[in-house]
Amino acid sequence: MGLFRLGEILGLGLSVLGLVVVGSPGCMRPRARATPAAPTSHLSGSAATGAGAVAAAPVPASLDSEQPCRPLEPDEEVVLGPGTSFVMRKHSVFKELAHESTVYQRWRILEFEAATGKVRIRLETAAEGGRATLSDPMEQTAMYVTAGDEPLEIVEVPAGRIRCKRTHTVTQAGRFIMDSWQAPVLPNWVHVRQVTDSPQLRSVEELLRVENASVAPPGTREAKRKAEAGAALAEARKLRAARSGPAVTVGADERLELAVGTRFTSETVTEMRVGFQMTMTMLAEATVMALDERKLTLRTIMTTKTGGTENTTETSMELERAGLNQALEGAAEVIEVPAGKFRCRKSRSESMMQGKRMVMEHWMAPGIPVPVRSEISGDFQSSVTVLERIENARTVPAGAAPTPLSSAPKPGPAEVSKGVPQPAGAPGVPRNAFILVVGVGTFGDGKLPSLRFAEADARSVFAFCSTERRSPADPDRVQLLVGKAATRQRILDAVRDHLVKKATHPEDLAVLYFSGHALMEGGETYLACSGTEPGELAITGLPLRELGAAWASIRAGRRVLIADACRIGDVGRARGTGRINLSAGDGESAPGSLHLLASGPEQPSTEDEQLGQGVFTTALLKGLRGEAESDADGRVSSSELAEYLEAEVPRLAAAAGGAQTPVARGADRPGFYLTR
């Protein structure tokens, strides 16, 4: 047998034994360090005794422990926590070498985040009579397999009698066969039993014991997932309602008339049935951005939440209105959803996805570009989508003649103001507006306290600026940086590329909004970005001196800097306390420059749980939507907004149990308008 053939066999054997751990690209095995064989590891607690206890299966001394351990019964759900361990044994027979070996592994949870299912685990590996090696800590997400409609079978291993899903895999033209048994009550990286057979190797892996874990009744995790999904949707509804414009409710005998700025909010709950147990919620905001007699442009922002992970995507599409307005054929079905009652057409289709059947049903109402209700069912998943809210539109009797667009009323935030929004180019209205919105509320390393609503505030400002008719900017001239994307370099690059290079005309408007922490060190103020560390602010923070220099180079005739941030102090319901000066390099009396700060010196910038936002940003959006107007010109000027914030922010802060007075500096001149 050649050396290359021997290496191939041994390589296959090591990979099956689990000694090769797939990590980041280019890293195929964990870095290991030897540990003495004699000492044993101990966690709090003693071995289980009494009724139901069994002697732990023997393992090498280097992996032995005295952690609590008892056999599992069918359907008991394992509750994870720091210290929970899963001990595996893998026996392998190398057929061509006539050699056998036994390897033991312990997957030990070092840290566990119950809200997101994220864990840090370490793999301990030892052969019989050998030393244990420890991998570097690895990050995983505790996901769980689900059987769907497939039957489960009870598998008996040293760790107990466990109900499992069996997966049968055949590859290499039948030369490699693997049977794997995984349990819906155990994390997906734990195999209750796995049998592998090939011409070179046969191995059997079994779960020996589950250590330092408690159990819950069947269905506990599923009930918790559904409750959390429901709570997430309820919270999202409350926050959306608090931030949105006036809603309309449609009756069964009414028709909706669209306008630029009409917005549809839908919510979706999806339950996965095959693969991993998962509940996903999605909130979609579809806004009419352009409208004529023939077609409309719809912009949709979708926010998806899975466990503790949130993802936002954005799409735009153009739709023919003729297809939306076609008459109902036959009997119409009345569908009731939170947005009202609608006479709908129902469509149904069936398809196959990854070998699984899927049935899709949609209920559409004439003239409405989004489904009133959608249902997806089948072997793969089930989901329900409902139309939750309609804003900035009006209803008319179903039989009424369509209103010509040229004479149609312009609903929306303007309806609550004293005037009508003006188009770009009107006297005092910016020629072009370029807006950069930044929000940082989580910092990852735990050295800076998280802010509950800083990133939500930024998204709300972005939604206003990119979708509402009063916004001074076109949608493609509004940029958003939140969370991990808001690094020091990306913020500086965005200021230079989006504001300095584009906002160059004397009638242009440049706006920078920041929501988050600010820190002081050595007499200098820094904005906290993603990755900022308090001890290394000069490297990881964004100095206001550097930001101010870039800000001063913007050639636009109007510049607005809005900061919902203060120097950090004791953080509870507040963003921080202290003095922050954001006028470095710009001069607060510079012509055309306006600074709006959330609070004065040594005051907290308050976050209100009932509002789901900081009180400053709440007042800011209410003012821009028209409440700040003191005349009838349909626009909000810098002086009107400053006066409104001066009255409204203290009122909202007092209602939340705080005290806060905003600060406005500069640009108190005629014709400095911030909205259309």
Side-chain angles (χ1 to χ4, degrees), residues 302-315:
M302 293 172 287
T303 302
T304 304
K305 290 187 177 182
T306 306
T309 303
E310 180 176 311
N311 184 47
T312 300
T313 58
E314 180 182 320
T315 60

Side-chain angles (χ1 to χ4, degrees), residues 405-555:
L405 288 180
S406 58
S407 60
K410 303 183 181 342
E415 290 183 341
V416 300
S417 71
K418 300 178 177 62
V420 179
Q422 301 297 307
V429 175
R431 170 180 173 271
N432 289 310
F434 300 88
I435 301 175
L436 173 61
V437 180
V438 180
V440 190
T442 55
F443 306 91
D445 57 9
K447 296 179 181 178
L448 282 173
S450 297
L451 297 169
R452 290 172 295 176
F453 304 125
E455 294 175 18
D457 282 356
R459 288 192 175 94
S460 294
V461 172
F462 173 75
F464 168 82
C465 294
S466 60
T467 65
E468 296 195 16
R469 297 173 61 241
R470 280 189 168 272
S471 169
D474 293 333
D476 59 349
R477 292 172 177 168
V478 185
Q479 185 173 343
L480 175 67
L481 289 175
V482 293
K484 293 181 179 180
T487 63
R488 165 182 168 156
Q489 192 58 49
R490 285 184 179 179
I491 295 173
L492 284 173
D493 288 346
V495 170
R496 292 164 181 152
D497 295 340
H498 189 64
L499 300 181
V500 175
K501 293 181 180 180
K502 295 179 180 178
T504 58
H505 193 274
E507 294 302 317
D508 284 349
L509 170 66
V511 179
L512 171 60
Y513 170 93
F514 177 84
S515 178
H517 277 318
L519 308 166
M520 291 195 72
E521 183 177 86
E524 184 160 6
T525 304
Y526 300 83
L527 297 183
C529 314
S530 175
T532 293
E533 297 184 13
E536 299 181 352
L537 292 183
I539 300 174
T540 61
L542 175 55
L544 289 187
R545 170 179 41 80
E546 188 173 356
L547 178 62
W551 185 253
S553 65
I554 297 174
R555 289 174 288 168

Side-chain angles (χ1 to χ4, degrees), residues 117-140:
K118 294 181 180 179
V119 296
R120 292 181 74 245
I121 57 177
R122 170 171 283 164
L123 174 62
E124 305 172 35
T125 306
E128 287 182 328
R131 293 181 175 182
T133 60
L134 303 180
S135 74
D136 286 341
M138 298 172 280
E139 293 188 356
Q140 292 268 14

Side-chain angles (χ1 to χ4, degrees), residues 85-433:
S85 299
F86 301 93
V87 181
M88 320 288 296
R89 176 180 59 202
K90 185 177 289 186
H91 180 74
S92 301
V93 177
F94 300 91
K95 298 178 181 179
E96 295 186 8
L97 297 177
H99 173 71
E100 298 184 19
S101 70
T102 302
V103 172
Y104 298 84
Q105 295 178 325
R106 174 184 284 117
W107 295 92
R108 187 193 302 274
I109 296 178
L110 305 177
E111 299 176 12
F112 177 64
E113 198 174 277
T116 62
K118 294 181 180 179
V119 296
R120 292 181 74 245
I121 57 177
R122 170 171 283 164
L123 174 62
E124 305 172 35
T125 306
E128 287 182 328
R131 293 181 175 182
T133 60
L134 303 180
S135 74
D136 286 341
M138 298 172 280
E139 293 188 356
Q140 292 268 14
T141 298
M143 301 181 69
Y144 297 85
V145 299
T146 179
D149 297 327
E150 301 174 22
L152 299 178
E153 57 185 272
I154 294 179
V155 177
E156 191 161 354
V157 292
R161 299 173 64 249
I162 305 171
R163 201 179 301 275
C164 296
K165 173 187 177 180
R166 179 185 180 184
T167 303
H168 181 68
T169 305
V170 179
T171 59
Q172 299 179 13
R175 297 175 67 248
F176 183 89
I177 302 173
M178 182 168 64
D179 288 285
S180 179
W181 288 263
Q182 288 181 282
V185 300
L186 297 174
N188 61 300
W189 69 82
V190 177
H191 292 270
V192 175
R193 177 181 288 153
Q194 184 167 279
V195 180
T196 303
D197 199 5
S198 73
Q200 296 84 28
L201 174 72
R202 176 178 172 81
S203 68
V204 178
E205 179 184 14
E206 288 187 320
L207 179 62
L208 291 188
R209 58 195 191 192
V210 179
E211 303 172 332
N212 201 36
S214 57
V215 296
T220 300
R221 186 181 298 110
E222 178 72 8
K224 182 180 179 183
R225 282 195 305 116
K226 290 185 177 180
E228 289 175 347
L233 280 176
E235 181 67 14
R237 287 191 201 118
K238 183 179 73 173
L239 298 184
R240 297 278 175 121
R243 300 170 191 168
S244 301
V248 298
T249 302
V250 181
D253 297 317
E254 293 181 320
R255 176 171 53 82
L256 194 70
E257 287 205 335
L258 307 183
V260 173
T262 298
R263 180 160 52 200
F264 303 89
T265 300
S266 302
E267 60 182 41
T268 302
V269 178
T270 300
E271 295 283 342
M272 304 304 296
R273 291 180 171 175
V274 173
F276 297 112
Q277 298 174 7
M278 184 184 302
T279 300
M280 180 177 70
T281 62
M282 183 178 73
L283 286 159
E285 287 184 336
T287 304
V288 177
M289 305 303 297
L291 182 69
D292 59 29
E293 301 289 354
R294 188 173 63 86
K295 60 187 178 181
L296 63 84
T297 301
L298 198 68
R299 180 183 186 180
T300 304
I301 298 174
M302 293 172 287
T303 302
T304 304
K305 290 187 177 182
T306 306
T309 303
E310 180 176 311
N311 184 47
T312 300
T313 58
E314 180 182 320
T315 60
S316 292
M317 65 178 68
E318 196 171 85
L319 302 173
E320 294 292 332
R321 299 191 71 189
L324 300 175
N325 290 321
Q326 72 183 72
L328 289 172
E329 297 179 1
E333 184 177 355
V334 176
I335 298 297
E336 185 170 3
V337 293
K341 296 180 179 179
F342 299 83
R343 294 189 181 275
C344 298
R345 297 186 307 271
K346 178 182 176 180
S347 63
R348 186 178 189 275
S349 63
E350 291 192 21
S351 61
M352 299 294 291
M353 181 177 179
Q354 299 179 6
K356 302 293 184 180
R357 185 178 64 92
M358 179 176 293
V359 178
M360 293 180 286
E361 296 178 308
H362 302 289
W363 287 264
M364 300 291 296
I368 297 181
V370 299
V372 172
R373 182 180 178 89
S374 293
E375 294 182 5
I376 299 176
S377 60
D379 301 325
F380 189 76
Q381 69 179 54
S382 66
S383 71
V384 177
T385 301
V386 296
L387 182 57
E388 179 71 22
R389 184 180 175 92
I390 301 174
E391 304 164 50
N392 309 331
R394 74 169 189 169
T395 59
V396 297
T403 305
L405 288 180
S406 58
S407 60
K410 303 183 181 342
E415 290 183 341
V416 300
S417 71
K418 300 178 177 62
V420 179
Q422 301 297 307
V429 175
R431 170 180 173 271
N432 289 310

Side-chain angles (χ1 to χ4, degrees), residues 619-642:
L620 175 72
L621 291 175
K622 289 170 64 179
L624 292 173
R625 285 180 172 132
E627 289 193 14
E629 280 191 65
S630 58
D631 51 32
D633 64 358
R635 297 169 289 180
V636 175
S637 68
S638 59
S639 58
E640 286 175 328
L641 183 61

Side-chain angles (χ1 to χ4, degrees), residues 576-634:
T577 59
R579 179 185 300 274
I580 183 170
N581 181 4
L582 296 179
S583 59
D586 187 31
E588 57 194 49
S589 61
S593 178
L594 171 65
H595 294 161
L596 296 174
L597 310 183
S599 60
E602 309 305 327
Q603 278 190 329
S605 182
T606 306
E607 292 187 320
D608 188 341
E609 189 169 348
Q610 294 299 316
L611 295 172
Q613 285 184 307
V615 299
F616 174 77
T617 296
T618 298
L620 175 72
L621 291 175
K622 289 170 64 179
L624 292 173
R625 285 180 172 132
E627 289 193 14
E629 280 191 65
S630 58
D631 51 32
D633 64 358

